[in-house]
Amino acid sequence: MQKLSFQNFLVNFFFWAFLFTTILAIRYYDIGNIAFINQDIKIPLIRIFGNGPMIGLLVAIPYTLAEAYLKDKGLYHNSLGRIILNRTLYLFIISSLVLLVVAYLNYQLDLVSNIIDISEIGFGDYVFSATVGFMFAGALFGNIILTLFRTLQSKIGDEELNVILAGKYRPPLEVRRAFMFLDLQASTTIAEELGHQTYSHFIQDCFKDLHTALVATDATVYQYVGDEAVLTWPSEIATKGNNFIEAYFIFQNKLDSRKAYYEEKYGIAPFFKAGVNIGSVMAAEVGIDKREIAYHGDVLNTAARIQSLCNKYEASLLCSEMVVNNMWNVDNYEITEKEELLLRGKTRMIKVFEVKRKLG
């Protein structure tokens, strides 16, 4: 997730630096100077290339932190319209405050350089100048563009949107990935007890709590299917810190920590079962009107069938031998081979293991 945050910072920096440099350049070549004030004074061209990137950096840092904070505080749990409105408003305030700081710094610089006379020109002349007005308008426009992009990114998924934009999987490509199938235990019984409307709110709450595990383990949701979620990772991220195992424990711990909430609101505390597998699959961009990345291969089928064995073994987390072979610090876990099985629809034997965290 740190990698993703840094990527977001770079996108924010280059976007804002380009936008503000462009605005300053247009103003310069339009009237012959940067004109933070509306007077015919000569300010070096280098100020354009200094102010643009400086504003971009000063906006990008708090902007990126605010994005992460708003996401962590559940801003994106609102309706799409509310998300767009709130996000644009909050982040416009941040960029506006930065513009005021930069305007003040430029005002002080011009005073020290004797470009302007403080007896004739005050800071208010800078703030209400046409150039700063254009900067504020650019900040509003930029926030709308970034908000729409980030909302689309959140809707489709960070990784998936980047892949679709790059066209990486237009011709199908073999990749190595891990998959976790998460399924609500006793879902049919719970649905009957709660009724379909309350049950939908119940599932919605569960998958909101899944967010903690997604952030902590750099996981991507491949699919939501009813009361089931399918998580996926590139193999190098899956095995780092045993993300493809830890995601389950982080999720279930989050649910357990909110047990009182679930029992008070629904009368039931949720518990999920999981099956994990890793290996090579084919990745392909599919669809015309609605495009998405689809994964095909035996790895997914096996993960789903391993998960279906949890009830049989009264296990919460089962995985394949390939997963166990790719785990690190196995001494931190209790790993028990259940037996060698011929899974439904398979032609070869598969070793299935139960994984538990060691207490203490």
Side-chain angles (χ1 to χ4, degrees):
M1 193 54 61
Q2 291 180 347
K3 178 181 178 181
L4 180 58
S5 296
F6 182 67
Q7 290 174 345
N8 288 341
F9 166 75
L10 289 179
V11 170
N12 290 334
F13 169 67
F14 285 112
F15 175 84
W16 289 114
F18 174 78
L19 178 65
F20 288 125
T21 301
T22 299
I23 292 173
L24 289 172
I26 291 174
R27 288 292 293 166
Y28 181 90
Y29 288 110
D30 178 39
I31 62 175
N33 59 66
I34 290 182
F36 278 103
I37 54 175
N38 300 315
Q39 292 188 10
D40 186 20
I41 57 176
K42 297 300 179 182
I43 298 177
L45 180 62
I46 191 64
R47 289 275 288 277
I48 292 176
F49 302 101
N51 275 285
M54 179 179 68
I55 298 172
L57 178 62
L58 292 177
V59 170
I61 294 173
Y63 201 94
T64 304
L65 294 174
E67 283 182 317
Y69 176 80
L70 293 173
K71 186 173 183 178
D72 184 60
K73 291 302 179 182
L75 171 68
Y76 302 134
H77 295 165
N78 293 310
S79 66
L80 197 61
R82 180 67 65 83
I83 291 172
I84 293 174
L85 179 62
N86 288 351
R87 190 182 187 283
T88 301
L89 176 62
Y90 295 151
L91 297 179
F92 175 65
I93 291 173
I94 290 175
S95 52
S96 296
L97 291 174
V98 171
L99 286 177
L100 287 174
V101 171
V102 172
Y104 181 77
L105 293 176
N106 276 276
Y107 176 68
Q108 294 297 326
L109 179 61
D110 288 342
L111 288 177
V112 172
S113 303
N114 294 318
I115 293 177
I116 60 174
D117 186 344
I118 192 171
S119 64
E120 297 179 359
I121 300 170
F123 178 58
D125 296 307
Y126 262 63
V127 174
F128 293 102
S129 68
T131 297
V132 175
F134 276 112
M135 299 283 275
F136 275 100
L140 179 59
F141 173 77
N143 273 291
I144 293 173
I145 295 299
L146 272 182
T147 291
L148 292 175
F149 175 75
R150 295 299 189 197
T151 302
L152 179 64
Q153 193 176 39
S154 177
K155 175 70 175 177
I156 297 177
D158 298 331
E159 180 185 2
E160 193 162 320
L161 178 62
N162 294 337
V163 168
I164 289 175
L165 290 175
K168 183 178 179 179
Y169 298 141
R170 276 311 280 174
L173 182 68
E174 185 176 70
V175 295
R176 184 172 171 80
R177 298 188 72 92
F179 294 87
M180 172 183 287
F181 281 71
L182 281 167
D183 188 51
L184 177 66
Q185 183 170 307
S187 57
T188 302
T189 301
I190 295 174
E192 290 177 352
E193 291 180 4
L194 297 180
H196 67 276
Q197 186 172 7
T198 303
Y199 182 70
S200 293
H201 287 288
F202 176 74
I203 292 298
Q204 191 176 54
D205 274 345
C206 290
F207 288 151
K208 282 181 182 178
D209 286 336
L210 178 60
H211 175 72
T212 301
L214 301 180
V215 172
T217 65
D218 289 327
T220 299
V221 176
Y222 173 42
Q223 290 177 333
Y224 290 111
V225 185
D227 50 40
E228 182 178 73
V230 183
L231 311 187
T232 184
W233 302 258
S235 60
E236 64 275 12
I237 295 178
T239 56
K240 183 180 180 181
N242 294 327
N243 281 328
F244 56 172
I245 295 296
E246 287 298 313
Y248 173 78
F249 297 117
I250 294 171
F251 176 42
Q252 192 55 53
N253 286 344
K254 177 69 173 181
L255 294 176
D256 291 342
S257 71
R258 282 165 47 83
K259 182 178 179 181
Y261 165 81
Y262 282 101
E263 290 183 339
E264 179 180 352
K265 186 172 182 178
Y266 302 106
I268 298 170
F271 185 83
F272 279 74
K273 306 161 295 180
V276 188
N277 195 19
I278 187 172
S280 297
V281 296
M282 294 301 297
E285 183 181 329
V286 297
I288 299 297
D289 295 328
K290 183 181 184 303
R291 298 189 179 189
E292 62 180 44
I293 303 302
Y295 298 102
H296 308 114
D298 192 54
V299 172
L300 284 93
N301 298 331
T302 300
R305 288 166 183 166
I306 288 175
Q307 186 276 319
S308 70
L309 295 173
C310 286
N311 286 341
K312 176 181 178 181
Y313 292 109
E314 297 183 347
S316 58
L317 176 61
L318 294 175
C319 63
S320 67
E321 182 178 16
M322 187 65 70
V323 169
V324 173
N325 290 341
N326 281 272
M327 289 176 60
W328 297 85
N329 297 323
V330 293
D331 290 340
N332 295 331
Y333 304 91
E334 293 181 13
I335 302 175
T336 307
E337 181 179 346
K338 306 315 291 185
E339 63 180 274
E340 197 170 27
L341 301 171
L342 181 64
L343 294 177
R344 187 174 68 252
K346 308 292 292 183
T347 58
R348 59 186 179 85
M349 302 298 285
I350 299 292
K351 288 184 178 180
V352 177
F353 294 81
E354 180 180 8
V355 179
K356 296 180 180 180
R357 268 181 175 169
K358 284 185 178 179
L359 299 178

